Amino acid sequence: MKIKVSALATICLSALLLVGCGKTSNDSSSNNDNTTTTKKASVRTTGDATDDEYQGVIENGHYKTSKSRGVGVQQDSENMLNSKSFDVGMTDISKKFFSTKSYVFQEGQYLSKSTVQDWLGRKSKDNPDGLNPESNGNGSNRNPMYIQQIGEQDYMKDNDGKLSLAGMTIGIGMNRKDYYQKEEYGATYTQSISKEKMVEEGKIAAKKVLERVRKIDGVSNDTPIVIAMFEQAPNDSLVGGTFYAYAVSNSGTDLGDWKNLDLKNVTFPETSTNSVPNSNDEKNFENFKNKIQNFFPNLAGVTAQAQYDGKTLKSMNVSITTQFYSETEIISFTQYVAQAAQSYLPNKIPIDIQILGSDGKTQAFLSRDSGEGKFSSHVFTGF
Amino acid sequence: MKIKVSALATICLSALLLVGCGKTSNDSSSNNDNTTTTKKASVRTTGDATDDEYQGVIENGHYKTSKSRGVGVQQDSENMLNSKSFDVGMTDISKKFFSTKSYVFQEGQYLSKSTVQDWLGRKSKDNPDGLNPESNGNGSNRNPMYIQQIGEQDYMKDNDGKLSLAGMTIGIGMNRKDYYQKEEYGATYTQSISKEKMVEEGKIAAKKVLERVRKIDGVSNDTPIVIAMFEQAPNDSLVGGTFYAYAVSNSGTDLGDWKNLDLKNVTFPETSTNSVPNSNDEKNFENFKNKIQNFFPNLAGVTAQAQYDGKTLKSMNVSITTQFYSETEIISFTQYVAQAAQSYLPNKIPIDIQILGSDGKTQAFLSRDSGEGKFSSHVFTGF
């Protein structure tokens, strides 16, 4: 665990924690964050967790949440997995341009909730900024909703304890399926959108978004802005969508060339509607699954989510669910899973394994980073 | 991660895994455990997870589960936390006598389900082995049920690839509350049992159990048997019970001296009915909680379970529940919790921290072993 931002920021954080500690020892029920509100604001970050993650911004003891916080959550019909994939994928692309060592992550502060809501709506007299096409009713030639979500991430530089905007990533989530009801609470109809049409509409939206973001107060003409295009997974998918392209505007409204990505999220085991790009991986997973599922007299369920870049498996999250009859069974099972994973699951990629009880609660957890030889494991015991 | 049993056992396990792998590459849907059933059985263990845990026994590719598996689970009115505490505590006491390096753990194979059920029942004409007193009705002088659960753990030595019983721990769970209904599905009545009475009845039961276990086929007269006495937590407790005493019989039916334990499980924050032995720990926890709960505009819930030995905090499990609006919030929060835990929570004891979303699912996890300076953390992302 290394310190990644300037020593100054770290010292500030430590100071804050110590001040808070001294203060609240006398009054343990009060909120000690108030002790800093009268001070001149200075840069504080969330500290360091692992080496390749950004630090976040703390202001007056509170996390600086996104100005459009919760917009995605209101779209409750949407596949929630898309929301996770969107956030994680956007951060992954950002790391190509804004190193975790030099930049501090700030939740989007330039697009407000109402702005994002307006942009995600249909264009109309009342909503001239709507990025989705005007409504033409819900007939057979309905204009689909192409744009599903918009996210903003800010990348800050620390100049003598003051953060300034030094980069931005805007993610745009594009639909391949347009879901709609003809009447409220009625049946849901689905219209497919071709890959080509999605890409085309995405480019149009990206250009508009870039032009608008450049005009926002505080965004300078030469702040690098990454626009990242995300293909939403269908609502019934067991994995979230993936980013399919990105482009960088180094200044003005010039977007530069589009760089395509070939990411695919899959589930294991393979099914007729969910194919895995590399059949060897499927075989290895089946071997692992067979090894695991008959460990106890009662069967264990073994599934995985994984991400491919082309034909190459990049990382894997395994879930194992079984009924345990004692804590010692959990400990033994966890040891066994570590051995079997070592033997059967692909080498040199990061793998997470969660072991869940029949109540759905996490009982144990194993992980191996890409560079590590062995799995580390942890059993969640209780008192 | 060190190898703890003999190299032979490890090689056997590896061989098993490799054979299985080669076999099932051709037929990935079959269960490759069958490939070993015709072989002469040899010692296989669950492998190694961490340094201070026992390896378990695998037989023909299946875990050797307890002969009385599931007896505890049927007692559905019982506090399930007692069951976890019972298993973990029994293993902890066993480690004092049977080192994890020299012994292999085997789930109890000598007490069958029906035996345990009979012993846990009331003594009667039909059930002469019942350890609980004969029924005298459910009036004001009802004979309470003193004995709630019995568990067995076997500790094996590996002699040239063959395991033999080299030690045993029997746990006996004693009630401080006797719960009963006067009619089926009726109101539950409670009768308290004094600590003194519990200890007295426990000693009587321990003596009987030892005499009976010594007579079981396969248990020799000089196999060390540890008898560990557990005080059940009340059904409404937020923590499980603790072991209050143990004794060792090195041979025959002589039980040796009782060694008392002063363990206590508590929850943080302290309440009027749940006091914490050391008020400094409570202050530190409150400071940590205050630091954490206002990180987001929405409050986070922060609680902990902990175990004391006398006035000394031994270990702590923290649960933090909050609503997250993005994956980046989870990452930032996890980093912040690591810093705050480092500053506020007690040093030099093992601490687990689980971060849960509002849906109750584990989103991130931090832990620090007793010897470690910093918390390691892991965020559960998805695809």
Side-chain angles (χ1 to χ4, degrees):
Chain A
M1 306 220 297
K2 294 182 199 153
I3 303 297
K4 282 168 298 178
V5 289
S6 74
L8 177 68
T10 310
I11 292 162
C12 286
L13 178 62
S14 306
L16 173 69
L17 290 169
L18 289 171
V19 166
C21 182
K23 199 74 180 176
T24 52
S25 296
N26 300 321
D27 179 9
S28 62
S29 66
S30 77
N31 169 10
N32 61 2
D33 287 329
N34 296 331
T35 59
T36 62
T37 50
T38 52
K39 286 190 193 168
K40 173 171 149 290
S42 64
V43 178
R44 291 185 197 99
T45 65
T46 48
D48 55 302
T50 66
D51 216 20
D52 58 350
E53 272 167 17
Y54 292 105
Q55 309 212 25
V57 180
I58 295 171
E59 212 172 54
N60 298 325
H62 303 287
Y63 186 59
K64 205 166 176 182
T65 53
S66 168
K67 281 272 189 295
S68 60
R69 191 184 200 219
V71 171
V73 177
Q74 295 176 326
Q75 300 156 347
D76 56 5
S77 64
E78 199 199 324
N79 185 340
M80 283 305 293
L81 295 165
N82 275 323
S83 158
K84 272 210 166 198
S85 306
F86 188 78
D87 293 335
V88 174
M90 230 167 116
T91 311
D92 279 350
I93 291 173
S94 300
K95 285 175 186 169
K96 296 180 202 284
F97 301 97
F98 314 118
S99 102
T100 55
K101 286 193 174 57
S102 318
Y103 292 81
V104 173
F105 168 81
Q106 179 180 272
E107 303 275 352
Q109 299 297 315
Y110 295 92
L111 297 182
S112 71
K113 199 163 170 169
S114 63
T115 299
V116 172
Q117 278 167 337
D118 288 350
W119 292 7
L120 290 177
R122 287 190 180 278
K123 194 185 174 91
S124 68
K125 230 182 241 174
D126 288 346
N127 185 31
D129 288 340
L131 292 172
N132 279 302
E134 286 182 70
S135 172
N136 63 344
N138 288 330
S140 59
N141 65 338
R142 167 186 150 101
N143 285 335
M145 296 288 277
Y146 294 108
I147 293 144
Q148 183 64 32
Q149 62 177 326
I150 293 175
E152 175 203 348
Q153 296 183 343
D154 302 338
Y155 292 93
M156 316 299 285
K157 283 244 172 162
D158 179 0
N159 301 314
D160 293 332
K162 201 172 173 306
L163 289 180
S164 59
L165 184 69
M168 187 187 275
T169 301
I170 302 281
I172 303 178
M174 304 294 298
N175 287 325
R176 288 292 302 279
K177 300 272 182 195
D178 170 43
Y179 298 98
Y180 60 102
Q181 278 94 36
K182 294 190 177 176
E183 56 205 47
E184 214 180 356
Y185 309 118
T188 295
Y189 294 80
T190 307
Q191 183 181 189
S192 288
I193 298 164
S194 72
K195 175 99 185 177
E196 293 67 32
K197 186 66 181 163
M198 175 193 74
V199 170
E200 181 192 328
E201 291 290 334
K203 284 180 180 170
I204 296 168
K207 199 167 162 355
K208 284 184 190 162
V209 165
L210 176 62
E211 283 165 7
R212 292 176 190 180
V213 170
R214 281 281 178 221
K215 286 183 190 148
I216 294 173
D217 203 32
V219 181
S220 81
N221 201 49
D222 57 359
T223 303
I225 298 176
V226 179
I227 308 270
M229 307 304 299
F230 180 84
E231 177 179 331
Q232 303 276 130
N235 286 354
D236 59 356
S237 170
L238 297 173
V239 283
T242 51
F243 281 90
Y244 63 86
Y246 60 85
V248 192
S249 165
N250 285 309
S251 71
T253 56
D254 179 31
L255 199 49
D257 291 333
W258 285 102
K259 163 102 177 120
N260 292 324
L261 296 170
D262 188 19
L263 303 174
K264 190 184 178 190
N265 292 338
V266 300
T267 55
F268 289 96
E270 194 168 50
T271 62
S272 56
T273 56
N274 160 54
S275 70
V276 168
N278 185 330
S279 63
N280 264 333
D281 295 331
E282 171 67 16
K283 272 183 203 151
N284 289 335
F285 180 80
E286 289 287 348
N287 289 337
F288 172 74
K289 179 168 167 279
N290 291 335
K291 201 72 215 158
I292 294 300
Q293 69 182 1
N294 292 296
F295 184 74
F296 291 120
N298 47 306
L299 275 185
V302 186
T303 59
Q305 296 183 326
Q307 186 165 76
Y308 277 90
D309 185 354
K311 296 258 180 214
T312 308
L313 193 55
K314 274 180 64 189
S315 65
M316 192 179 228
N317 288 357
V318 180
S319 282
I320 304 176
T321 306
T322 192
Q323 187 175 6
F324 295 104
Y325 288 87
S326 71
E327 194 66 21
T328 47
E329 290 192 350
I330 298 174
I331 293 167
S332 292
F333 188 60
T334 304
Q335 293 174 346
Y336 184 74
V337 168
Q339 290 271 10
Q342 197 68 33
S343 300
Y344 292 103
L345 296 183
N347 289 320
K348 291 177 188 167
I349 62 163
I351 296 179
D352 276 8
I353 304 174
Q354 274 198 76
I355 298 178
L356 309 160
S358 49
D359 59 357
K361 285 194 184 153
T362 305
Q363 301 292 335
F365 158 67
L366 303 97
S367 77
R368 191 187 62 191
D369 280 347
S370 45
E372 292 172 4
K374 288 217 166 189
F375 280 83
S376 63
S377 69
H378 193 90
V379 175
F380 294 93
T381 53
F383 294 113
Chain B
M1 306 218 299
K2 294 182 200 155
I3 303 298
K4 282 167 299 178
V5 289
S6 73
L8 177 69
T10 310
I11 292 162
C12 287
L13 178 63
S14 306
L16 171 70
L17 290 168
L18 290 171
V19 167
C21 181
K23 198 74 179 176
T24 52
S25 296
N26 301 322
D27 179 9
S28 60
S29 65
S30 78
N31 171 9
N32 61 1
D33 286 330
N34 295 331
T35 59
T36 63
T37 48
T38 53
K39 287 190 195 168
K40 171 172 150 289
S42 65
V43 178
R44 291 185 197 100
T45 64
T46 49
D48 55 303
T50 64
D51 215 20
D52 58 351
E53 273 168 17
Y54 292 104
Q55 309 212 26
V57 180
I58 296 171
E59 212 172 54
N60 297 326
H62 303 286
Y63 185 58
K64 204 166 176 181
T65 53
S66 168
K67 280 275 187 295
S68 60
R69 192 184 200 218
V71 171
V73 177
Q74 295 176 327
Q75 300 155 348
D76 57 6
S77 66
E78 199 199 323
N79 187 341
M80 284 305 292
L81 296 165
N82 275 323
S83 159
K84 272 210 166 197
S85 306
F86 187 78
D87 294 335
V88 174
M90 229 167 116
T91 311
D92 279 351
I93 291 172
S94 300
K95 285 175 186 169
K96 296 180 201 286
F97 302 96
F98 314 117
S99 101
T100 55
K101 287 193 174 58
S102 316
Y103 292 81
V104 173
F105 169 82
Q106 180 180 271
E107 303 274 352
Q109 298 298 314
Y110 296 91
L111 297 182
S112 70
K113 200 164 168 167
S114 64
T115 299
V116 172
Q117 278 167 337
D118 287 350
W119 292 8
L120 291 177
R122 287 190 181 279
K123 193 183 174 90
S124 68
K125 231 180 241 174
D126 289 346
N127 186 31
D129 288 341
L131 292 171
N132 279 301
E134 285 182 71
S135 174
N136 62 345
N138 288 329
S140 59
N141 65 338
R142 167 186 150 102
N143 284 335
M145 296 288 277
Y146 294 109
I147 293 143
Q148 184 65 33
Q149 62 177 325
I150 293 176
E152 174 203 349
Q153 296 183 343
D154 302 339
Y155 292 93
M156 315 300 284
K157 284 244 173 161
D158 179 1
N159 302 313
D160 293 332
K162 201 171 172 309
L163 289 180
S164 59
L165 185 68
M168 187 187 276
T169 301
I170 302 281
I172 303 178
M174 303 295 297
N175 286 327
R176 288 292 303 279
K177 301 272 183 194
D178 170 42
Y179 298 98
Y180 61 102
Q181 277 94 34
K182 294 190 178 177
E183 56 205 49
E184 214 181 356
Y185 309 118
T188 296
Y189 295 80
T190 308
Q191 183 181 191
S192 288
I193 298 164
S194 73
K195 174 99 186 179
E196 292 67 34
K197 186 67 180 161
M198 175 192 74
V199 170
E200 181 192 327
E201 291 289 333
K203 284 180 178 170
I204 296 168
K207 198 168 165 353
K208 286 184 190 163
V209 166
L210 176 62
E211 284 165 7
R212 293 176 188 179
V213 170
R214 281 281 177 220
K215 287 181 192 152
I216 295 173
D217 203 32
V219 181
S220 81
N221 201 48
D222 56 358
T223 302
I225 298 176
V226 179
I227 308 270
M229 306 304 298
F230 180 83
E231 177 179 332
Q232 304 276 129
N235 286 354
D236 59 356
S237 171
L238 298 172
V239 283
T242 51
F243 281 91
Y244 63 86
Y246 60 85
V248 192
S249 164
N250 286 309
S251 71
T253 56
D254 178 30
L255 198 50
D257 291 333
W258 285 101
K259 163 101 178 123
N260 292 324
L261 296 170
D262 187 20
L263 303 174
K264 190 184 179 191
N265 292 338
V266 300
T267 55
F268 289 96
E270 192 168 51
T271 62
S272 55
T273 56
N274 161 54
S275 70
V276 168
N278 185 330
S279 62
N280 264 334
D281 296 331
E282 171 68 16
K283 272 184 203 150
N284 289 335
F285 180 80
E286 288 287 348
N287 289 338
F288 172 73
K289 179 168 166 279
N290 290 336
K291 200 72 215 157
I292 295 299
Q293 68 182 1
N294 292 296
F295 183 75
F296 291 120
N298 48 305
L299 275 185
V302 186
T303 59
Q305 296 183 327
Q307 186 167 76
Y308 277 89
D309 185 353
K311 297 260 180 212
T312 308
L313 194 55
K314 274 181 66 190
S315 65
M316 192 180 229
N317 287 356
V318 181
S319 282
I320 304 176
T321 306
T322 192
Q323 186 176 7
F324 295 104
Y325 288 87
S326 70
E327 194 66 20
T328 48
E329 289 191 351
I330 298 174
I331 293 167
S332 292
F333 188 60
T334 304
Q335 293 174 345
Y336 184 75
V337 168
Q339 290 272 10
Q342 197 68 33
S343 300
Y344 291 102
L345 296 182
N347 290 319
K348 292 176 189 168
I349 62 163
I351 296 179
D352 276 9
I353 304 174
Q354 275 199 76
I355 297 178
L356 309 159
S358 48
D359 59 357
K361 285 192 185 155
T362 304
Q363 300 293 334
F365 158 66
L366 303 96
S367 78
R368 191 187 62 192
D369 280 347
S370 44
E372 290 172 5
K374 288 216 165 189
F375 280 83
S376 64
S377 69
H378 194 89
V379 175
F380 295 93
T381 53
F383 294 113

